Structures are given as structure tokens and as C-alpha cells.
């Protein structure tokens, strides 16, 4: 069966001497891994269409539930070349790509998240405050994947709090910790303390649509605090490190034990 859709190249790995396994985030099928014949040959018909972050009009063929369908077409809509040329920017975008692959299962349609990623890539190239785009994308990724942290109040009683516990995926107040027999220390459960300012920024992002992103103007300090928590929450959720250097540098500034 032939499938036609649009897709963003997330990553690719060599297969044999000239072939490759390529992961796309598609508008109709979510994350799709395909077999590409000969893209590493000099005269490959795919040309530069399989470069990371390239937005393509694509087609792939495979029987229903095939584990590795074959890529038959990849025509560039927009290359996002600028994102690849600036090393620091490419690191940050690689981080959200890796998080997306960790949280979104293959062949699970996520049209809304695809549109947000596409808009985010375009905006990161030009936005004077790109960190707000990364924040917005990560919150929406967690929302649509079903792993959104709860910061609006204690998960048990709803009271305001600032201690986010990774095992619970939420704020838990000291009183409820005692009721669960975990005490004020959380019984060794990894946690991070958040300011009320960071929680306020988070709640706005959680409720806003993409069209409202221009109203989001957090200070670099609040953005860093909130993104640190989101990065650690995603790492805890997918149970592995995010390999990009930007995430590793963030880890070095955090003393939260996750083992």
C-alpha cells in the first residue's frame, strides 16, 4: 500500500554501504521509520531531501503494520538549512527531536504536534527569543503525549506548593507527603523546587494555543528554571539520558538525584 504525506526528517542511520534507515515525523502517521534505497550514493534520487529537519512531501510503500516500509519519494518543501548551519541552534533542535522520538510511539498520528513542530522550526530561525519556542514545544509535546506535569497545586489536596516530585509527576505539599508516610524529604523521591514565577509561566503555556506564543515573554532566568524541570521530567519519563550537549550542560547545574 502506498502512503502519501508530509514529513520532517528527524534522524537517519546508515544501512549497508549506501542505504539508510530514516525517521520522519509525518502529518498523517506520526513518527515513521522507513528504508531508503541508496541515499548515500552520489547520484541518489533523494538528493539532500533526507538531511535532518528537512520538510518533505513524501511517499512510502509497505503492507499494513509493516515494520520498515520503503521510502519511494521525498521532495523538499523547505530545507531548514539555517538550523543545521548554526551549531548551537542545531544542538537545541536536536534535543527536542530526541525528546519527541522518546515520547511519541511510532505510527501514532499527532497532526497537532506536527504542525507545532513545523511552526517551531520556522520560528526558531528568526525569533529573537528562541528559548520561549523550545519551552512552548516541550509543554505541548508533554501534553499531547500524555505526560504533562501537574504544577497547578498538590496532586493530593490541591493546595499551592512548589516542590515537584518526579515519581508523582506533580507538585506534592509537605502535609500530603507526611500522610503518605514519606515525610518532608519525600522519602528519597527525586524532586526540584520551583518558584511561583516559573509555575505561572508554565500554566500560561499549558493553556495557550500556538497563536498566542507572541505574548509569552519570560525572563531568561524563569525560562531556564522551567526548562530545567521539563528536561529532567522528560529524562525521568523516558528513563534515559538526552544525549545533546545542551541537556548535559543543563544537568551539570542541577543537583537532583534521579537514581
Amino acid at each position: 500500500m502506498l502512503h502519501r504525506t508530509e514529513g520532517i526528517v528527524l534522524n537517519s542511520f546508515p544501512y549497508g554501504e549506501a542505504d539508510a534507515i530514516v525517521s520522519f515525523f509525518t502529518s498523517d502517521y506520526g513518527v515513521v521509520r522507513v528504508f531508503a534505497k541508496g541515499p548515500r550514493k552520489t547520484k541518489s534520487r533523494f538528493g539532500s531531501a533526507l538531511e535532518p529537519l528537512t520538510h518533505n512531501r513524501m511517499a512510502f510503500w509497505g503492507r499494513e503494520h509493516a515494520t520498515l516500509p520503503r521510502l519511494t519519494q521525498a521532495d523538499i518543501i523547505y530545507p531548514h538549512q539555517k538550523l543545521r548551519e548554526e551549531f548551537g541552534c542545531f544542538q537545541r533542535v536536536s534535543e527536542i527531536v530526541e525528546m519527541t522520538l522518546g515520547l511519541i510511539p511510532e505510527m501514532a498520528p499527532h497532526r497537532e504536534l506536527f504542525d507545532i513542530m513545523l511552526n517551531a522550526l520556522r520560528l526558531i530561525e528568526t525569533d529573537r527569543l528562541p528559548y520561549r519556542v523550545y519551552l512552548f514545544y516541550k509543554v505541548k509535546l508533554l501534553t499531547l503525549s500524555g505526560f504533562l506535569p501537574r504544577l497547578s497545586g498538590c496532586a493530593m489536596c490541591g493546595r499551592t506548593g512548589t516542590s515537584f516530585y518526579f515519581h508523582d509527576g506533580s507538585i506534592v505539599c509537605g502535609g500530603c507527603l507526611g500522610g503518605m508516610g514519606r515525610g518532608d524529604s519525600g522519602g528519597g523521591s527525586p524532586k526540584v523546587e520551583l518558584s511561583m514565577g516559573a509555575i505561572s509561566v508554565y500554566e500560561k503555556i499549558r493553556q495557550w494555543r500556538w497563536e498566542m506564543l507572541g505574548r509569552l515573554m519570560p525572563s531568561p532566568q524563569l525560562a531556564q528554571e522551567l526548562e530545567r524541570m521539563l528536561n529532567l521530567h522528560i529524562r525521568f519519563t523516558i528513563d534515559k539520558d538526552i544525549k545533546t550537549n545542551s541537556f548535559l550542560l543543563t544537568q551539570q547545574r542541577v543537583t537532583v538525584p534521579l537514581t
Side-chain angles (χ1 to χ4, degrees):
M1 180 182 296
L2 185 65
H3 305 271
R4 298 184 184 277
T5 186
E6 291 182 16
I8 302 166
V9 178
L10 299 182
N11 61 28
S12 64
F13 298 96
Y15 186 85
E17 294 184 0
D19 306 329
I21 307 298
V22 187
S23 294
F24 285 87
F25 190 21
T26 70
S27 58
D28 298 294
Y29 305 99
V31 175
V32 175
R33 284 197 319 138
V34 298
F35 171 76
K37 181 68 175 178
R40 294 185 290 146
K41 292 181 178 179
T42 304
K43 296 182 179 180
S44 169
R45 60 194 174 93
F46 292 121
S48 59
L50 302 186
E51 290 290 324
L53 309 178
T54 302
H55 178 205
N56 288 297
R57 186 172 292 105
M58 59 177 292
F60 59 95
W61 186 92
R63 295 180 181 179
E64 189 175 3
H65 306 305
T67 56
L68 198 63
R70 179 165 177 167
L71 184 69
T72 60
Q73 176 187 353
D75 299 324
I76 297 175
I77 298 174
Y78 190 80
H80 291 121
Q81 184 174 347
K82 186 177 178 180
L83 296 179
R84 297 193 297 271
E85 290 176 343
E86 206 286 301
F87 182 68
C89 182
F90 186 68
Q91 281 185 302
R92 295 300 310 276
V93 176
S94 296
E95 178 188 76
I96 65 173
V97 164
E98 191 174 353
M99 290 175 174
T100 301
L101 287 168
L103 292 172
I104 301 298
E106 291 185 26
M107 299 300 288
H110 280 278
R111 181 57 189 256
E112 183 179 356
L113 186 61
F114 172 84
D115 290 339
I116 292 173
M117 176 180 276
L118 193 58
N119 286 326
L121 293 179
R122 291 171 178 169
L123 189 56
I124 288 168
E125 290 185 310
T126 59
D127 195 74
R128 64 185 180 87
L129 296 175
Y131 59 81
R132 65 181 178 177
V133 183
Y134 296 114
L135 270 179
F136 191 94
Y137 182 82
K138 289 175 184 179
V139 172
K140 296 306 177 182
L141 169 63
L142 288 164
T143 300
L144 295 171
S145 62
F147 295 104
L148 187 70
R150 175 191 168 111
L151 303 186
S152 58
C154 175
M156 306 299 173
C157 67
R159 284 181 292 188
T160 300
T162 58
S163 298
F164 177 80
Y165 286 85
F166 292 96
H167 279 304
D168 301 280
S170 66
I171 296 289
V172 181
C173 71
C176 290
L177 281 175
M180 292 186 291
R182 286 159 58 177
D184 292 337
S185 66
S189 174
K191 70 171 183 175
V192 65
E193 292 294 330
L194 297 170
S195 68
M196 293 305 298
I199 292 174
S200 176
V201 170
Y202 173 84
E203 288 301 315
K204 289 176 181 177
I205 299 175
R206 185 178 64 81
Q207 297 172 34
W208 286 358
R209 301 184 303 276
W210 174 263
E211 294 78 12
M212 303 171 75
L213 178 62
R215 295 166 55 184
L216 183 65
M217 301 289 287
S219 69
Q221 292 76 20
L222 285 180
Q224 183 183 57
E225 178 186 352
L226 183 54
E227 190 168 20
R228 178 183 65 182
M229 183 277 292
L230 292 174
N231 287 347
L232 288 168
H233 173 68
I234 292 173
R235 177 195 168 194
F236 189 85
T237 300
I238 65 179
D239 195 26
K240 67 177 183 180
D241 286 336
I242 301 299
K243 297 178 182 178
T244 51
N245 288 339
S246 59
F247 181 80
L248 295 175
L249 289 172
T250 300
Q251 278 187 282
Q252 292 172 6
R253 295 191 293 268
V254 184
T255 58
V256 179
L258 290 181
T259 56

